[in-house]
């Protein structure tokens, strides 16, 4: 008997994580919903059950390695395998570089970067035993085309891209595939966790999220397609792809544009 594939998604109670869970359920996955928000997580599971998916919720804080390892082992005990791990949980920071306090850098990197590292470590332990699996890490277009006044967030995204690309070659002999997603800016629940040194930076961040036509469902569809096709990188959003190409092939032009934007931000 062939069993349905399984996926574990961190930060799956809302936003992109919930959209990913719904897309996975529609594709026939059994979905483990991991998040720090129990009420939202259980609500997500109820929605997945209505889609006909087998699912359960696990309260999990990606700042704690023990939480992630326990969550992975729960998936394996229940479904005997972990086919896909999506490290989606993350937070946001905005503001001019000199205004961002050290504690905000530490907080952002602990969740976004080290949370992804911990998720990868937990998943690899299970997937090596299976000799197969696929890990998806969520970064953002700031890794490819960094905008001013988002230095901490951009740096974290770039770290996730490089981590994923390093592990893609390193883990292939174990049968483990890697994909990194670098979506353009889009409206999600990141604004709830946003840390900014002043109200103006918060407003600018909100406007940036609203300035694109992307939404969580479109991003989730692109990511799940990338898993099916075993793509090493997926960049949902035409503006993100355009900016990334410009930064790569015409860096001086890109930097002039970003410097002009920074001048306006500092007025």
């Amino acid at each position: 008997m062939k069993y349905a594939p399984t996926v574990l998604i961190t930060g799956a109670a809302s936003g992109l994580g919930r959209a990913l869970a719904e897309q996975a359920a529609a594709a026939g996955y059994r979905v483990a919903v991991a998040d720090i928000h129990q009420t939202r997580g259980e609500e997500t599971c109820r929605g997945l059950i209505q889609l006909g998916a087998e699912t359960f919720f696990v309260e999990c804080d990606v700042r704690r390695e023990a939480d992630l390892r326990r969550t992975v082992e729960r998936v394996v005990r229940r479904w005997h395998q972990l086919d896909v791990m999506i490290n989606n949980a993350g937070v946001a920071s905005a503001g001019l570089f000199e205004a961002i306090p050290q504690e905000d850098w530490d907080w952002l990197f602990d969740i976004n970067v080290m949370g992804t590292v911990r998720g990868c470590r937990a998943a690899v332990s299970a997937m090596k035993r299976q000799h197969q699996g696929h890990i998806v890490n969520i970064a953002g277009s700031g890794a490819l085309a960094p905008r001013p006044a988002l230095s901490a967030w951009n740096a974290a995204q770039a770290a996730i891209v490089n981590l994923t690309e390093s592990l893609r070659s390193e883990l292939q002999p174990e049968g483990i595939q890697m994909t990194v997603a670098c979506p353009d800016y889009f409206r999600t629940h990141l604004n709830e966790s946003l840390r900014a040194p002043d109200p103006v930076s918060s407003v600018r961040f909100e406007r940036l999220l609203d300035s694109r036509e992307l939404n969580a469902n479109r991003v989730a569809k692109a990511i799940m397609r990338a898993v099916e096709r075993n793509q090493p990188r997926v960049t949902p959003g035409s503006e993100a792809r355009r900016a990334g190409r410009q930064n790569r092939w015409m860096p001086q032009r890109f930097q002039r544009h970003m410097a002009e934007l920074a001048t306006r931000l500092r007025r």
Side-chain angles (χ1 to χ4, degrees):
M1 179 178 178
K2 186 176 180 180
Y3 292 98
T6 66
V7 59
L8 167 59
I9 306 170
T10 65
S14 61
L16 177 58
R18 183 167 185 167
L20 284 164
E22 291 169 351
Q23 289 296 322
Y29 280 81
R30 293 173 285 176
V31 185
V33 173
D35 206 290
I36 59 173
H37 298 289
Q38 182 175 354
T39 301
R40 284 181 179 176
E42 291 173 348
E43 179 184 335
T44 297
C45 287
R46 287 193 292 272
L48 298 179
I49 290 170
Q50 291 178 356
L51 294 173
E54 188 177 347
T55 183
F56 70 97
F57 170 75
V58 184
E59 190 171 350
C60 176
D61 187 341
V62 299
R63 292 174 294 182
R64 300 172 182 156
E65 185 152 2
D67 275 22
L68 281 157
R69 290 192 177 276
R70 173 179 53 82
T71 301
V72 167
E73 289 306 317
R74 278 194 62 181
V75 173
V76 173
R77 281 199 308 271
R78 181 164 180 160
W79 292 329
H80 310 295
Q81 63 192 48
L82 173 61
D83 294 299
V84 180
M85 170 77 170
I86 304 181
N87 291 303
N88 166 75
V91 292
S93 170
L96 295 174
F97 172 73
E98 64 270 22
I100 302 174
Q102 180 66 44
E103 54 264 30
D104 284 4
W105 280 87
D106 294 341
W107 166 79
L108 184 86
F109 268 68
D110 190 24
I111 295 171
N112 292 21
V113 179
M114 293 311 300
T116 299
V117 170
R118 295 177 191 111
C120 288
R121 273 204 293 248
V124 166
S125 296
M127 290 177 178
K128 282 180 68 175
R129 296 195 296 267
Q130 304 167 173
H131 306 292
Q132 67 88 26
H134 198 130
I135 300 173
V136 180
N137 293 332
I138 309 298
S141 61
L144 312 177
R147 296 171 62 93
L150 294 169
S151 56
W153 201 31
N154 293 337
Q157 291 171 13
I160 293 168
V161 169
N162 278 276
L163 168 69
T164 309
E165 293 182 349
S166 297
L167 293 181
R168 184 170 177 86
S169 57
E170 183 176 331
L171 294 174
Q172 273 192 345
E174 301 290 346
I176 302 171
Q177 307 302 323
M178 301 289 304
T179 295
V180 64
C182 299
D184 201 355
Y185 304 96
F186 64 99
R187 170 58 61 183
T188 181
H189 284 78
L190 271 176
N191 59 310
E192 293 181 4
S193 66
L194 176 69
R195 288 192 182 182
D198 55 78
V200 173
S201 295
S202 297
V203 170
R204 285 172 176 160
F205 185 79
E206 293 277 352
R207 288 176 178 170
L208 179 60
L209 294 183
D210 289 332
S211 67
R212 303 293 196 266
E213 295 181 357
L214 267 186
N215 58 47
N217 287 331
R218 287 176 58 190
V219 173
K221 285 180 182 178
I223 291 171
M224 294 308 297
R225 270 199 312 270
V227 173
E228 293 170 9
R229 299 171 181 174
N230 191 23
Q231 291 176 229
R233 182 188 293 178
V234 58
T235 309
S238 58
E239 180 66 21
R241 291 191 293 271
R242 184 199 64 77
R245 285 193 299 266
Q246 186 181 72
N247 190 26
R248 181 176 182 183
W249 300 110
M250 296 177 284
Q252 290 180 330
R253 179 182 295 183
F254 177 79
Q255 287 301 320
R256 281 198 301 271
H257 178 61
M258 291 299 105
E260 291 168 359
L261 176 58
T263 299
R264 293 196 297 271
L265 293 176
R266 287 186 175 277
R267 284 175 182 164

